[in-house]
Amino acid sequence: SAVISQKPSRDICQRGTSLTIQCQVDSQVTMMFWYRQQPGQSLTLIATANQGSEATYESGFVIDKFPISRPNLTFSTLTVSNMSPEDSSIYLCSVEQGTLNTEAFFGQGTRLTVV
Amino acid sequence: AQKVTQAQTEISVVEKEDVTLDCVYETRDTTYYLFWYKQPPSGELVFLIRRNSFDEQNEISGRYSWNFQKSTSSFNFTITASQVVDSAVYFCALRSGYSTLTFGKGTMLLVSP
């Protein structure tokens, strides 16, 4: 299984600022995924990041608010821009491996609190 | 469209009790994959199992077992002789066709000593 390292593990940020979350994988993967988990809620996919192309965003998420970089096959970043308290969530990075990419593994998450 | 329903929001048991977490799914695809993940208080998502739609065999792994029934579109998860360390939120998830993972709302399991 892939080993995924996410940084930072948690942060407390002032509203109006931006935070960049890093995700490092120990093997090359085609697609990386970013999820948001609001307090007490399930996981919602923000976007899919492919190396060498723009990320594909899900409905309700836009690039200006959540810019994503994917410079190579083992690394990605998600930036939460112009933060408000509503952005307080756990943000998780994920990769898929295995037969037909049917096994999904997650980083340890970034617990973000916006004050 | 695909959907996952975990009707149990929260379950409380006493240590050593058996507990079953329910998961009902909806999909029009004949090929699909079902997952269970554990999310302890620390926040990371731990992969527990993947089951594909062609394999209805039940699976046992230590104190964990899974019952997959296509006839009722269910993929239930049982923990035998629960322990305090089992306390976590458990998510059932589905992927069908070329779609992305869809998660249920999760079931919070609280195991008391």
Side-chain angles (χ1 to χ4, degrees):
Chain A
S1 63
V3 176
I4 305 169
S5 301
Q6 234 182 283
K7 291 193 295 187
S9 58
R10 59 175 63 230
D11 207 341
I12 300 173
C13 299
Q14 296 291 323
R15 69 174 68 203
T17 63
S18 298
L19 175 72
T20 295
I21 302 167
Q22 299 180 5
C23 179
Q24 179 76 52
V25 189
D26 68 343
S27 58
Q28 294 184 341
V29 292
T30 304
M31 293 189 289
M32 296 177 76
F33 304 86
W34 287 99
Y35 288 82
R36 180 177 73 180
Q37 185 182 21
Q38 294 176 302
Q41 302 297 312
S42 186
L43 281 77
T44 301
L45 181 65
I46 297 172
T48 303
N50 292 319
Q51 192 264 339
S53 62
E54 277 199 10
T56 302
Y57 289 83
E58 298 298 306
S59 175
F61 298 96
V62 295
I63 187 171
D64 290 345
K65 176 67 176 176
F66 297 102
I68 288 171
S69 78
R70 183 76 201 276
N72 57 53
L73 291 173
T74 63
F75 187 78
S76 178
T77 67
L78 169 75
T79 298
V80 186
S81 303
N82 188 24
M83 288 183 285
S84 66
E86 292 71 35
D87 294 320
S88 297
S89 298
I90 298 175
Y91 292 85
L92 295 118
C93 169
S94 172
V95 302
E96 296 180 349
Q97 288 188 325
T99 306
L100 300 177
N101 286 332
T102 53
E103 296 186 18
F105 300 97
F106 289 80
Q108 72 271 37
T110 296
R111 194 180 295 267
L112 170 63
T113 302
V114 183
V115 298
Chain B
Q2 54 185 32
K3 183 179 178 182
V4 177
T5 301
Q6 293 180 257
Q8 304 149 309
T9 304
E10 187 173 321
I11 301 175
S12 293
V13 299
V14 178
E15 222 174 5
K16 297 183 184 176
E17 284 185 18
D18 298 347
V19 58
T20 296
L21 283 61
D22 298 333
C23 174
V24 174
Y25 62 92
E26 294 177 29
T27 177
R28 293 179 183 160
D29 291 295
T30 55
T31 301
Y32 52 89
Y33 299 86
L34 294 160
F35 303 80
W36 276 96
Y37 290 89
K38 174 182 180 180
Q39 187 177 43
S42 52
E44 76 272 24
L45 220 60
V46 179
F47 170 82
L48 296 178
I49 190 172
R50 179 201 70 182
R51 174 64 79 223
N52 72 54
S53 54
F54 303 118
D55 184 2
E56 280 194 79
Q57 279 192 342
N58 293 329
E59 180 151 343
I60 298 174
S61 177
R63 296 184 296 108
Y64 295 170
S65 62
W66 291 269
N67 183 0
F68 176 30
Q69 291 197 338
K70 289 176 76 171
S71 60
T72 55
S73 298
S74 64
F75 187 42
N76 296 338
F77 173 31
T78 297
I79 301 175
T80 303
S82 59
Q83 299 176 2
V84 173
V85 293
D86 295 326
S87 296
V89 179
Y90 290 86
F91 289 97
C92 181
L94 165 71
R95 170 181 288 115
S96 57
Y98 294 101
S99 64
T100 56
L101 268 178
T102 296
F103 285 84
K105 292 186 181 297
T107 297
M108 178 178 290
L109 174 64
L110 179 61
V111 183
S112 306

